[in-house]
């Protein structure tokens, strides 16, 4: 039996990348997983199908984050999916993974609109998703927020993005104290450069250059991060809360 048997999980932004790998990993441990996406329904359904093919349980939920009514829409689909499959709306594990980047923008070129969107999707949405999820989360629940190594590694072209993730890390610190009495843990996981659908990962020279940032001399794979999230979601991690977990393959060692 998997470590997450009889648990339910929501992974935001799990149609692709780290979120996809996390959804698949949690399902492999036995969790019923809500695969959340914004626009790419085909990709989300492909994740659900792949989980089901391996004997797991999953369903897709659509909601654009960072816009008015986002959390309400997300929980309409989530609660309906949970109720149909388990008879209750209990959510044991929340992974706030969905995020947008600045797209390598010089600080002089960052617009107020772009700044607001980064904050809305990366920081505001996770806060209010947590606030809403706590109504469904029992004792022993797990919250994992995906941050970035860029909160500890300077890159002037990603200042606004790093600021939004700095806010994400604050949630782990302060919510951890609030949620301790309920035995709910909350932690931040900080990936380094991790392969996703971005076309830069098809350019060998660029990949080699990025690989040098890690002490292991390779770029991260989504599964490298998903395995860390799965650990934090399990009972094995019951004594870890409010922490920053460096999942950057040693990119922050200096
Ligand atoms: P991807 O860009 O591959 O996927 C992003 C996911 O988030 C997709 O599922 C997408 O849905 C969803 N998403 C994007 N914007 C929104 C929105 N406004 N509302 C709802 N969902 C949205 O992500 P990665 O795997 O690269 O990154 C995952 C997380 O890890 C992010 O928080 C990112 O900041 C962080 N991270 C990534 C690193 C990397 O090198 N890849 C490094 C450090 C941190 P859809 O497919 O429907 O568009």
């Amino acid at each position: 039996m998997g470590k997450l048997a009889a648990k339910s999980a929501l992974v935001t932004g799990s149609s692709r990348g780290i979120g996809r790998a996390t959804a698949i990993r949690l399902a492999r441990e036995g969790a019923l997983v809500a695969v959340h996406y914004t626009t790419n329904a085909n990709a989300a359904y492909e994740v659900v199908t792949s989980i089901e093919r391996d004997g797991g349980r999953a369903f897709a939920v659509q909601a654009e984050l960072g816009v008015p009514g986002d959390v309400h829409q997300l929980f309409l689909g989530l609660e309906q999916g949970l109720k149909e499959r388990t008879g209750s709306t209990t959510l044991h594990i929340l992974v706030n993974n969905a995020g947008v980047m600045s797209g390598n923008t010089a600080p002089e070129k960052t617009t107020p609109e772009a700044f607001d969107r980064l904050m809305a999707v990366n920081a505001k949405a996770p806060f209010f998703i947590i606030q809403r999820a706590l109504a469904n989360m029992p004792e022993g629940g797990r919250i994992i927020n995906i941050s970035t190594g860029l909160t500890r590694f300077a890159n002037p072209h990603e200042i606004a993005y790093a600021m939004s993730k700095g806010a994400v890390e604050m949630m782990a610190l302060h919510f951890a104290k609030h949620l301790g009495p309920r035995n709910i843990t909350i932690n931040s996981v900080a990936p380094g450069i991790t392969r996703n659908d971005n076309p830069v990962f098809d350019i060998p020279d660029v990949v080699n250059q990025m690989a040098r940032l890690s002490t292991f001399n390779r770029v991260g794979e989504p599964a490298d991060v998903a395995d860390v999230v799965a650990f934090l979601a399990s009972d094995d991690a019951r004594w870890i809360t409010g922490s920053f977990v460096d999942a950057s393959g040693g990119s922050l060692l200096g």
Side-chain angles (χ1 to χ4, degrees):
M1 184 165 326
K3 286 187 170 175
L4 303 177
K7 304 283 187 198
S8 56
L10 166 64
V11 183
T12 66
S14 46
S15 51
R16 304 185 265 134
I18 293 168
R20 178 182 190 280
T22 301
I24 290 171
R25 181 72 171 79
L26 298 184
R28 206 187 308 142
E29 291 294 343
L32 164 65
V33 181
V35 175
H36 160 259
Y37 69 100
T38 329
T39 50
N40 202 340
N42 285 344
Y45 283 102
E46 187 275 321
V47 178
V48 170
T49 306
S50 149
I51 288 172
E52 288 175 341
R53 215 184 301 122
D54 287 348
R57 294 181 309 150
F59 59 96
V61 179
Q62 194 279 337
E64 179 175 2
L65 302 179
V67 296
D70 53 0
V71 178
H72 179 69
Q73 193 187 339
L74 174 65
F75 275 76
L76 274 182
L78 173 69
E79 291 190 334
Q80 190 189 333
L82 290 174
K83 192 104 200 216
E84 281 169 12
R85 287 159 184 86
T86 67
S88 94
T89 56
T90 300
L91 180 70
H92 301 92
I93 300 159
L94 166 63
V95 183
N96 277 310
N97 164 80
V100 284
M101 287 193 78
S102 312
N104 207 14
T105 309
E108 296 78 6
K109 298 255 169 71
T110 300
T111 63
E113 293 75 21
F115 184 95
D116 285 347
R117 179 157 167 73
L118 283 163
M119 291 296 167
V121 177
N122 294 354
K124 184 177 178 185
F127 176 87
F128 285 101
I129 291 172
I130 292 170
Q131 185 190 68
R132 177 67 183 77
L134 286 173
N136 302 48
M137 197 169 277
E139 282 253 328
R142 296 280 185 271
I143 302 170
I144 297 120
N145 298 322
I146 306 301
S147 181
T148 170
L150 288 174
T151 57
R152 319 270 159 122
F153 182 101
N155 177 345
H157 283 223
E158 295 290 353
I159 295 177
Y161 170 73
M163 287 174 71
S164 71
K165 293 295 192 176
V168 167
E169 290 176 16
M170 284 303 101
M171 285 189 254
L173 177 66
H174 297 278
F175 264 123
K177 191 124 183 162
H178 185 58
L179 298 176
R182 288 173 59 180
N183 255 322
I184 294 172
T185 69
I186 173 167
N187 293 288
S188 310
V189 171
I193 293 180
T194 308
R195 192 183 301 279
N196 61 16
D197 292 347
N198 190 312
V200 296
F201 289 99
D202 296 330
I203 309 170
D205 283 352
V206 179
V207 173
N208 287 340
Q209 223 175 326
M210 295 191 292
R212 274 186 231 123
L213 292 173
S214 161
T215 192
F216 301 123
N217 199 29
R218 65 171 176 87
V219 297
E221 298 298 331
D224 293 324
V225 182
D227 286 349
V228 177
V229 175
F231 164 67
L232 290 170
S234 75
D235 186 56
D236 293 343
R238 63 195 168 278
W239 206 234
I240 303 175
T241 195
S243 79
F244 168 89
V245 179
D246 174 348
S248 72
S251 301
L252 305 180
L253 295 174

